[in-house]
Each structure stands twice: as C-alpha cells, then as structure tokens.
Amino acid sequence: GAGVSQSPSNKVTEKGKDVELRCDPISGHTALYWYRQSLGQGLEFLIYFQGNSAPDKSGLPSDRFSAERTGGSVSTLTIQRTQQEDSAVYLCASSSARISEQYFGPGTRLTVT
Amino acid sequence: ILNVEQSPQSLHVQEGDSTNFTCSFPSSNFYALHWYRWETAKSPEALFVMTLNGDEKKKGRISATLNTKEGYSYLYIKGSQPEDSATYLCAYMDSNYQLIWGAGTKLIIKP
C-alpha cells in the first residue's frame, strides 16, 4: 500500500523567505511526527500530532516554526523567515498508535541560501 | 533529564562476523523501546518495538533483547553482510508517551 509521502523532495529558498513542507501520512494513522536531520547530525524531534492536535511541540527550535494537521491526515510544517541554519532534511513519520512503529517518508531536503 | 545512550558510536565489522551494540535508557517509567535501521540516503526503517522485560525479538539475522529493570537493550546481527551497513537507532518511550531518540550506532561492514 501507499507509504508516507512528502513534498517537495527538494526545496531551495533564499534567506528570509517562508517555506511550507507537506506530509501525507499512511491512511488511518492517527499519530504523525516531524523530525529533521541537519548535516552530520542525528535525528532531531520537532513536533508530534495525535489526530489534529499537537500535544508535544517541545522540539520546535523557534517561533518561526509552526505546524498544523487537518482532517487527521495531511500535515504542513511552515518555517517563516528562513535562516541558513534551517537547512536540513525534514522527515515526517506516521504510526497507527503512539506506541507503534513509525513509518518514515522520504524527506524534504531544504537548502537556505 | 531523560537520556538515551547508544554504544559504541561507530563500529567496523568484518563481513561474516557477528556483532552487537547497546542502547541504555532510564529504567523508570518505561513504556516501550524502538529499534530502527537508517541507511545512508534513505529514511529510517523500523526493526522492533519491544515492551516487556525479558522480551526477545528476531527478524532474519537481526535480534534484540530487552531488560527494563536495568535499562538496556542489545541489538545483535549474526553473520554481518555489506547490506547491514547503516546507523542503528533506538528510541525509548516513557509512560507519558514521550519518545526519546539515541544518537545511533553507525555500523560499517568491511567486505
């Protein structure tokens, strides 16, 4: 069946511009996670959704980052006034329940010039 | 502060040899332990989700054990193959469902 999809796969943007990253989870998965991997670093948790609500936003690095999820399905991660340090691969994952294994999408590679 | 430690940080293993590495986590408020394999240029892929003390799970040549009392899990790979080269991540989930990721063990299999 269809896995987690993310778009765009690559995004190059100028410093100061806003970007939106999209995640389509596996159908029926109630839990959705956003992570990022900066160059040479490990997996960094950003935010978690259960349905449409985000009980855990603890990983968002600054108030320039926000995320929403609508209809218990698609999620968008928005980064306002992008900075060069925002350059990273942004990964989305979904799971059928909070305790269950997570299925990861292919990621969006964001480059801020 | 919740901390998940993985050791070693990296590991070189000869093809055909068996190997293992460790994930250490808080022994209190344990709920679940996840293992993932992350190959270069790909996305993490789930290996195991373990919840019970003494649990042992197996998938092909890879197996994992869990000790929730002392706060550790071992991942074993039997007869390493080049395709096993990857970073192996563990993630600890506490009773508040907070998932804390380790930094990973990078495994390199030498042909």
Side-chain angles (χ1 to χ4, degrees):
Chain A
V4 178
S5 60
Q6 292 185 246
S7 60
S9 55
N10 277 286
K11 176 73 177 179
V12 180
T13 190
E14 290 180 355
K15 178 181 172 181
K17 294 282 178 73
D18 298 352
V19 294
E20 264 193 13
L21 311 181
R22 176 187 168 109
C23 171
D24 256 292
I26 292 173
S27 177
H29 277 193
T30 57
L32 186 146
Y33 303 79
W34 282 99
Y35 299 93
R36 74 176 177 182
Q37 184 198 20
S38 303
L39 189 64
Q41 302 298 309
L43 201 60
E44 178 187 0
F45 168 78
L46 297 177
I47 190 170
Y48 154 74
F49 285 92
Q50 180 64 40
N52 290 337
S53 64
D56 190 350
K57 303 180 182 180
S58 61
L60 293 178
S62 76
D63 58 9
R64 296 186 295 104
F65 286 71
S66 63
E68 64 174 17
R69 188 180 185 195
T70 54
S73 181
V74 171
S75 175
T76 53
L77 177 70
T78 301
I79 308 173
Q80 295 178 308
R81 305 181 302 282
T82 51
Q83 303 294 312
Q84 287 187 327
E85 61 263 28
D86 299 335
S87 296
V89 175
Y90 288 81
L91 289 165
C92 172
S94 71
S95 65
S96 57
R98 199 162 183 183
I99 192 177
S100 303
E101 61 189 9
Q102 296 182 19
Y103 294 82
F104 284 80
T108 293
R109 181 175 294 280
L110 175 66
T111 304
V112 182
T113 60
Chain B
I1 297 175
L2 297 175
N3 202 26
V4 176
E5 309 256 355
Q6 291 191 246
S7 63
Q9 192 173 25
S10 65
L11 188 58
H12 288 71
V13 174
Q14 197 69 40
E15 181 178 353
D17 287 352
S18 297
T19 187
N20 65 84
F21 28 92
T22 308
C23 172
S24 300
F25 51 85
S27 55
S28 58
N29 300 319
F30 175 87
Y31 200 73
L33 194 284
H34 294 217
W35 279 102
Y36 291 80
R37 175 171 60 200
W38 194 2
E39 294 180 65
T40 302
K42 294 187 177 180
S43 297
E45 176 190 350
L47 290 172
F48 307 112
V49 176
M50 309 173 80
T51 57
L52 299 175
N53 184 44
D55 205 3
E56 183 170 341
K57 297 218 172 181
K58 189 174 180 182
K59 183 184 285 189
R61 294 178 292 100
I62 303 177
S63 61
T65 60
L66 179 66
N67 184 324
T68 61
K69 305 294 184 190
E70 295 180 43
Y72 64 84
S73 175
Y74 293 136
L75 190 80
Y76 299 90
I77 301 178
K78 186 176 178 183
S80 304
Q81 299 297 308
E83 60 265 28
D84 296 330
S85 294
T87 296
Y88 290 81
L89 297 170
C90 70
Y92 155 86
M93 178 176 279
D94 67 12
S95 53
N96 293 319
Y97 301 108
Q98 188 177 13
L99 193 64
I100 310 295
W101 292 81
T105 291
K106 185 172 183 178
L107 176 66
I108 298 166
I109 306 300
K110 299 178 289 185

